[in-house]
């Protein structure tokens, strides 16, 4: 999935279409929708963790709407990520911004990783929850730490652009253009 995501992003960068100046309202809405969904996944994960532990011990799983919210939220994260990638494949993306090739490479790697995790996390969670695959549950737990680290890097990068470089990059996710 990581290789395919990276390949898709590279293809959109090489297309003959000109890079759009900014993101559309839909792309911005999907970005912030995914961000909110990921935050809620972390905030309300205890319910599904308790249900998983109960199931592992052979106990009955208590009905809890937060468990359904976690499952549905993960599915939406993946759906929105795939939707964003399909828009990117058709429309392209604004040019990467950065002081150096290393910064642009780091930003690209972080974005590829975020997209890959937005797909892998729901897949591993589904395999664990619906298929009872313990290895998938273990992978899901490892991936959540990696996702948290990449999301933090993403936020720090946006703040760096906003307050250190003062290049207005963050405005691309605040106001639609093009």
């Amino acid at each position: 999935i990581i290789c395919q995501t990276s390949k898709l992003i590279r293809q959109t960068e090489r297309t003959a279409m000109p890079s759009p100046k900014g993101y559309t309202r839909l792309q911005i809405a999907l970005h912030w929708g995914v961000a909110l969904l990921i935050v809620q996944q972390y905030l309300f994960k205890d319910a599904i963790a308790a249900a998983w532990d109960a199931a592992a011990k052979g106990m009955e799983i208590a009905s809890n709407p937060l468990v359904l919210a976690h499952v549905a939220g993960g599915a939406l994260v993946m759906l929105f990520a795939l939707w964003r990638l399909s828009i990117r494949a058709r429309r392209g993306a604004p040019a990467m911004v950065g002081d150096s090739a290393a910064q642009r490479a780091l930003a690209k790697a972080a974005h590829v990783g975020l997209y890959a995790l937005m797909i892998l996390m729901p897949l591993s969670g589904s395999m664990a929850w619906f298929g009872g695959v313990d290895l998938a549950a273990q992978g899901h737990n490892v991936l959540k730490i990696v996702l948290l680290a990449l999301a933090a890097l993403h936020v720090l990068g946006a703040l760096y652009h906003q307050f250190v470089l003062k290049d207005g990059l963050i405005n691309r996710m605040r106001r639609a253009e093009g």
Side-chain angles (χ1 to χ4, degrees):
I1 289 178
I2 293 170
C3 291
Q4 290 300 323
T5 304
S6 180
K7 182 178 174 184
L8 176 64
I9 289 173
R10 277 194 317 273
Q11 286 173 341
T12 61
E13 291 168 351
R14 287 193 305 253
T15 58
M17 73 178 96
S19 290
K21 189 175 177 184
Y23 294 102
T24 65
R25 282 190 181 110
L26 176 58
Q27 288 172 301
I28 293 168
L30 289 170
H31 174 271
W32 292 112
V34 164
L36 290 173
L37 284 166
I38 289 173
V39 167
Q40 79 87 37
Q41 292 298 79
Y42 280 94
L43 291 177
F44 302 118
K45 69 179 177 13
D46 292 343
I48 199 154
W52 177 263
D53 290 342
K57 294 174 184 169
M59 300 166 56
E60 186 174 330
I61 300 173
S63 177
N64 187 334
L66 292 178
V67 170
L68 177 60
H70 189 85
V71 172
L76 282 173
V77 166
M78 185 169 72
L79 176 69
F80 287 0
L82 292 170
W83 193 357
R84 288 177 67 194
L85 285 169
S86 72
I87 293 169
R88 183 183 181 111
R90 288 190 317 272
R91 185 177 186 275
M96 300 216 48
V97 176
D99 279 350
S100 68
Q103 281 181 347
R104 289 188 298 277
L106 180 60
K108 184 177 179 178
H111 282 95
V112 168
L114 285 168
Y115 276 111
L117 288 167
M118 288 186 284
I119 296 166
L120 287 171
M121 289 287 299
L123 289 177
S124 64
S126 294
M127 289 172 58
W129 187 253
F130 296 111
V133 180
D134 191 52
L135 187 58
Q138 292 172 26
H140 192 75
N141 279 328
V142 170
L143 292 176
K144 75 180 178 187
I145 296 165
V146 177
L147 178 60
L148 188 59
L150 280 179
L153 179 65
H154 181 69
V155 170
L156 287 173
L159 294 173
Y160 174 76
H161 277 274
Q162 183 68 20
F163 297 112
V164 176
L165 298 179
K166 298 179 182 184
D167 59 11
L169 177 80
I170 205 166
N171 291 328
R172 296 192 324 186
M173 275 302 155
R174 292 176 49 205
R175 285 188 296 271
E177 293 183 30

